[in-house]
Amino acid sequence: MQSNVVLLIFACCATAQFIAASVMAVYSRHRVQYLALPWVNGIFAFILLGEAIFYQSIATFPPGILNPVILLSFLAGIFLQSIYPLGIPLPGFLQWGRMWQYASPILILLGVYLLTLLWNGGIVFLMTWEELVDHLLSVDIVCRLLAVVLSIYYIVNIFRLPRAKARSTYVPKYLLAYSTALGLSVVFYLYVVLFYDIRLLMVYHVIFTLLNLYLVFRTLETIALELPHPSIEIVEEEPTEVPEPENEEGDFNEANLQRFHRMEYWMQNNPTEWMESSFGRDRLCKEVGINRHLMLQCVRSQGYNNVHDYINRYRLEALKRLIRQGEVRNVADCTITGLGTTKTVRSCFFKFESMTLDDYLQEQSRPASS
């Protein structure tokens, strides 16, 4: 593989890791559960940057079998990745005492290996598997094989720990999926270490970077769900004059606000219309006399993503009111306000309320039962 291609891959991956670390560092200042993301992303970014410095040696130098530098760096990376999936839901796992305890097998093995090198005065370089068999009983090779076994232990934890912790605490589904994908990528990494190929190593770096970017984007999406949504403003009188686009000589935002108030007035006085599941954007345009372009423009000026979300917000508020009044007690009855299927109701409720519909029904039923 050409050294320039290796350098380009290292540079792109390191840049992506730095961006991910920087973005999550901002959020971790306000939410401690995101503290692990910038630290681990930053560590891998610096590792990739260090590899980029020695890109020519990496691209051309044959490492041999079980190269100690590659093996020990692999073991350190596996350790970081095994605690990585737990960084968001379980910040307590990253407490210093527990982390040192979790890293103790690596530290002990590393100490024994360094003492072995000092005692024997050199490293055994292996180029074929036959040479490995010949030196199988040497302390140097035994330590390397123990490093492989220990890495398997941490790989198993990448699959096991998030699911074990999910039994006692809430772990998002996307984080469990990420842990599975991360574990599979690490298994591929172990294959690269045992049967070294520079092309496979580059493929692994790209896969790992994409997985980390996916986790960052999903984290940002989770944070976005907690942002405040536009509130429904009561409009008691219908606006009489709404300027046409060609006559808007004044404030553009004021014209959008007047159109929005006309929509609000109609929605608040015609609930039986939009509670029908067939009611949509085109019908609302016809009722209020605003074309599609201007309607999308005015709802976005008030913080809604599209007209569909605007209508569903009214349906959702009506559903919450019926649940509080005790008229709706189960998920099957939640389609009464026009949200369509129960699947649509669940997804819409979580999108606007950042909690599941089942939890809200259970929460509202407690006072009645008591």
Side-chain angles (χ1 to χ4, degrees), residues 124-140:
V124 178
F125 289 98
L126 306 174
M127 301 307 297
T128 63
W129 290 104
E130 288 76 10
E131 294 179 9
L132 174 64
V133 175
D134 296 336
H135 297 83
L136 190 61
L137 298 180
S138 65
V139 180
D140 185 9

Side-chain angles (χ1 to χ4, degrees), residues 7-240:
L7 177 60
L8 179 62
I9 294 176
F10 279 143
C12 292
C13 292
T15 302
Q17 297 283 6
F18 271 122
I19 293 174
S22 301
V23 172
M24 296 315 303
V26 175
Y27 285 96
S28 66
R29 295 181 60 187
H30 305 281
R31 297 291 180 88
V32 69
Q33 59 264 40
Y34 300 113
L35 186 60
L37 285 169
W39 276 103
V40 179
N41 271 326
I43 291 173
F44 282 115
F46 279 108
I47 291 175
L48 288 168
L49 185 61
E51 290 178 327
I53 296 175
F54 301 98
Y55 74 98
Q56 289 185 338
S57 299
I58 295 175
T60 58
F61 180 74
I65 304 298
L66 296 180
N67 185 281
V69 176
I70 296 177
L71 190 59
L72 293 177
S73 61
F74 165 72
L75 186 56
I78 297 302
F79 166 76
L80 291 173
Q81 292 180 62
S82 67
I83 64 173
Y84 195 21
L86 302 178
I88 295 178
L90 299 169
F93 192 81
L94 292 178
Q95 294 173 357
W96 285 107
R98 295 183 178 181
M99 192 167 69
W100 282 115
Q101 181 180 2
Y102 187 55
S104 58
I106 297 178
L107 298 176
I108 294 174
L109 179 62
L110 182 60
V112 172
Y113 187 70
L114 292 177
L115 290 176
T116 301
L117 294 182
L118 293 175
W119 183 266
N120 293 332
I123 300 176
V124 178
F125 289 98
L126 306 174
M127 301 307 297
T128 63
W129 290 104
E130 288 76 10
E131 294 179 9
L132 174 64
V133 175
D134 296 336
H135 297 83
L136 190 61
L137 298 180
S138 65
V139 180
D140 185 9
I141 301 303
V142 170
C143 289
R144 297 190 211 178
L145 294 176
L146 287 177
V148 174
V149 174
L150 190 57
S151 65
I152 295 175
Y153 161 73
Y154 287 112
I155 291 174
V156 172
N157 280 345
I158 293 177
F159 292 99
R160 182 183 65 86
L161 288 179
R163 286 163 177 77
K165 295 299 182 181
R167 303 190 189 103
S168 58
T169 187
Y170 173 71
V171 178
K173 291 183 178 179
Y174 76 85
L175 192 59
L176 295 177
Y178 167 81
S179 301
T180 302
L182 183 66
L184 294 175
S185 70
V186 170
V187 172
F188 173 70
Y189 191 14
L190 179 60
Y191 176 85
V192 175
V193 172
L194 296 178
F195 304 94
Y196 182 81
D197 189 309
I198 183 61
R199 292 169 296 182
L200 296 180
L201 181 62
M202 295 300 102
V203 170
Y204 167 76
H205 280 309
V206 173
I207 293 175
F208 178 61
T209 302
L210 292 176
L211 284 175
N212 283 346
L213 289 177
Y214 164 78
L215 182 60
V216 171
F217 289 140
R218 286 305 304 264
T219 302
L220 295 179
E221 181 184 15
T222 303
I223 296 173
L225 291 175
E226 299 177 359
L227 296 176
H229 294 279
S231 59
I232 295 177
E233 179 182 352
I234 302 300
V235 180
E236 298 179 354
E237 296 183 4
E238 182 180 9
T240 55

Side-chain angles (χ1 to χ4, degrees), residues 343-355:
K343 181 179 179 180
T344 304
V345 178
R346 291 179 189 272
S347 62
C348 183
F349 195 93
F350 185 78
K351 178 179 181 180
F352 282 99
E353 300 299 323
S354 299
M355 67 180 302

